[in-house]
Structures are given as structure tokens and as C-alpha cells.
Amino acid sequence: MTNIDDEKMRLYYQLDYTLTEIPDDAAYLHAQYRRKNPTTGGVYTLLDSVKGKGQYVGTYLAWGVNNNGWWGEGEIKFYMDGDSQFPTINGTGTEDYFCGSYNFDVNGRYHEFSTAYTGLHQVIRPDGLYNSQQRFGMYRWHIPDPIRFEKSLRVTIQDLGWRTNGRYLIQQSDISSTVFWYQAEPHQTFPKFPSRDDLERK
């Protein structure tokens, strides 16, 4: 825990544990937060440089759209076990990965939903359905559909919308993510955590 404020703070915590034997090949839960504002090049990295054996557990995304129009055309990609140019798993669109389909659009407006394993639980709509500055919170837990890897894992999602005449728009969104996975230790060094200024919404 790091206090990045100028003021002192109190941290309350509770540790629960069990005394037991842990096998040498036990996998440990990992979590990693990232943020990019704005994104560049149309690709946002959720997770990179994971080495070893493990299982991807899930994705949380906070997505701020900085342009008009449909924003969620990007594919999620899981590069596993030595994949380079082509991923083992390639999604068909952001809303498809979060099980929303058809732009999350019900009767001309975004429709929030929340289930045990996936959801679009938050929609902040200052200007309407397809206007600028929309904000979304989405999650997907891979419990009934585990993603297991033996040697390595990298996960990206494209930041793509639509231009006129069916052309892709490489966006510059404000995306934050927390991903969860199990893996056998040791783990790679995490990327540097964003600074206080970089965490502040611009």
C-alpha cells in the first residue's frame, strides 16, 4: 500500500489465513492495474510479460470514450504460449467479449446488466447514446470458461470505433483495467504504477 496523497491517512486491514501445507506447484492469485489516457495506436495492453504456467481469471475495464459514435469494435486478444503475430484466442468485439452484443443498445440507449460472470454494470451518459464523453464499467470472469496457459500470456484489446461509411476509427480513449490471473511463482516485474497526476481524470 502506498499513500500518494499529501495528507497522512489511516489504513485499516484484516488478515485471514490458514496454516496448511502448500504444494510446490501451487498457483498464486495475481492482480494488475493499468491505465492509459489517451490510448495510442488503437491497442490497449491489459497484461504483458507473464511467464510460466497459470490461468487467466478475469477482466475489469473502466472505459472513457473521447469521441462520438460507436466505440466498442475492438477485439480482445490472448497471446498464449509463444504466440507472436497471431493470438490463440481472438475476440469479435468489445461488447461480444462482455456478452452484450449489438452495441449494448436496447431501444436506442445503452442498457446496463449484471450477471454472475459478466456485465456492463455502469453507464455514465452525459450527452446521450453515441455522443462524446460516455463512461462505462464492464467485467468478465472466466470461471465457466477458463483460459489456461503453459508458458506465457499477453492480453490486449483494440480501441476501435467506427467512422462514416463503415471505416474503423482508431480511438484515443481513457481506459483503466484490473486483470486477475493465477500463476506459479516467480512472476515478472510489474510495470511502474501510474503517478498521482496520471491517475487523475483529465
Side-chain angles (χ1 to χ4, degrees), residues 1 3 5 7-13:
M1 299 297 296
N3 179 9
D5 199 352
E7 304 294 327
K8 290 184 177 180
M9 64 171 286
R10 283 198 176 99
L11 174 66
Y12 296 92
Y13 60 90

Side-chain angles (χ1 to χ4, degrees), residues 154-174:
R154 177 168 61 99
V155 186
T156 65
I157 191 165
Q158 294 171 310
D159 185 16
L160 292 178
W162 286 119
R163 292 184 183 276
T164 57
N165 301 320
R167 297 175 297 145
Y168 285 117
L169 170 65
I170 295 176
Q171 302 175 134
Q172 296 180 329
S173 300
D174 176 2

Side-chain angles (χ1 to χ4, degrees), residues 85-186:
Q85 184 177 359
F86 300 107
T88 297
I89 299 173
N90 196 118
T92 57
T94 303
E95 83 275 37
D96 299 325
Y97 175 68
F98 292 101
C99 299
S101 286
Y102 299 102
N103 305 4
F104 302 113
D105 181 346
V106 177
N107 297 323
R109 67 186 297 270
Y110 291 109
H111 184 73
E112 297 93 335
F113 68 96
S114 184
T115 72
Y117 302 120
T118 187
L120 174 77
H121 68 283
Q122 182 183 43
V123 178
I124 301 172
R125 29 173 108 68
D127 295 320
L129 178 64
Y130 287 131
N131 293 331
S132 180
Q133 308 310 308
Q134 304 291 312
R135 301 288 182 258
F136 304 92
M138 300 163 277
Y139 63 92
R140 169 82 181 264
W141 311 132
H142 291 277
I143 307 303
D145 55 342
I147 296 175
R148 296 188 176 110
F149 54 95
E150 294 292 325
K151 298 185 301 184
S152 63
L153 179 66
R154 177 168 61 99
V155 186
T156 65
I157 191 165
Q158 294 171 310
D159 185 16
L160 292 178
W162 286 119
R163 292 184 183 276
T164 57
N165 301 320
R167 297 175 297 145
Y168 285 117
L169 170 65
I170 295 176
Q171 302 175 134
Q172 296 180 329
S173 300
D174 176 2
I175 301 178
S176 300
S177 62
T178 303
V179 301
F180 301 88
W181 75 100
Y182 285 98
Q183 76 166 94
E185 293 285 18

